[in-house]
Amino acid sequence: MTGRGFRFGVNLLTPSSRTAWQARCREAEDLGYDVIAVPDHLGLPAPFPAIVSAAEITTRPRLAVFVLNAGFYNPALLARDLAGTDQLVDGRLEVALGAGYVKAEFDAAACPGPARATVSTTWNAQCGRCAACSLIRGINRGRSRVRCRR
């Protein structure tokens, strides 16, 4: 983080080739952005490969999923993917979880659009058993910055 007391981030949305994507990420770093973020919406680049690709070309910015649609993911499998991604980006991963709000995306993915309470209950139950947290610690041997916050 910079000495500014807050960070500047950019949310990159446009699907592109690997070369074009990495050029945009490099430009964001050169412009001084502290965070490069990608969304989690159908029709846009998959967040984890985009983040790993951004890490290949940048060295300083944190790399973020703007808000992951938790309703699309099994908590333990997502924990595995978050831990693996964090490891591949040298600990620069940041993640926010949301319940999702675009009904058309749930329909297109053939997923029931869970109510926010259902998503929250599912995630809290998983964290209560610490299955997701144990998996993160196991993959990264305790070094992951992706943590369960109960």
Side-chain angles (χ1 to χ4, degrees):
M1 185 164 118
T2 67
R4 295 180 249 210
F6 59 92
R7 301 178 300 166
F8 289 96
V10 60
N11 195 9
L12 300 179
L13 302 172
T14 309
S16 58
S17 69
R18 177 181 178 269
T19 302
W21 170 253
Q22 288 186 337
R24 291 183 74 209
C25 293
R26 169 59 80 194
E27 181 181 17
E29 181 175 42
D30 291 346
L31 288 170
Y33 284 101
D34 301 303
V35 181
I36 296 171
V38 297
D40 184 20
H41 287 286
L42 296 181
L44 296 175
F48 299 127
I51 286 172
V52 170
S53 182
E56 291 176 354
I57 198 73
T58 63
T59 58
R60 185 189 48 75
R62 302 285 297 170
L63 303 166
V65 180
F66 194 60
V67 177
L68 265 174
N69 186 342
F72 284 157
Y73 300 95
N74 171 288
L77 297 177
L78 180 58
R80 177 198 63 188
D81 289 349
L82 290 173
T85 300
D86 189 54
Q87 189 173 33
L88 291 173
V89 303
D90 297 326
R92 293 191 284 153
L93 181 64
E94 292 186 0
V95 176
L97 293 177
Y101 64 93
V102 182
K103 183 180 181 326
E105 290 185 347
F106 284 102
D107 293 344
C111 292
R116 293 183 193 282
T118 303
V119 171
S120 177
T121 300
T122 300
W123 280 84
N124 286 339
Q126 282 286 347
C127 286
R129 289 195 304 269
C130 290
C133 298
S134 295
L135 187 54
I136 289 171
R137 285 190 298 274
I139 289 173
N140 286 328
R141 293 180 290 279
R143 294 180 305 224
S144 178
R145 287 180 173 79
V146 180
R147 298 271 194 259
C148 171
R149 300 200 188 271
R150 302 191 319 143

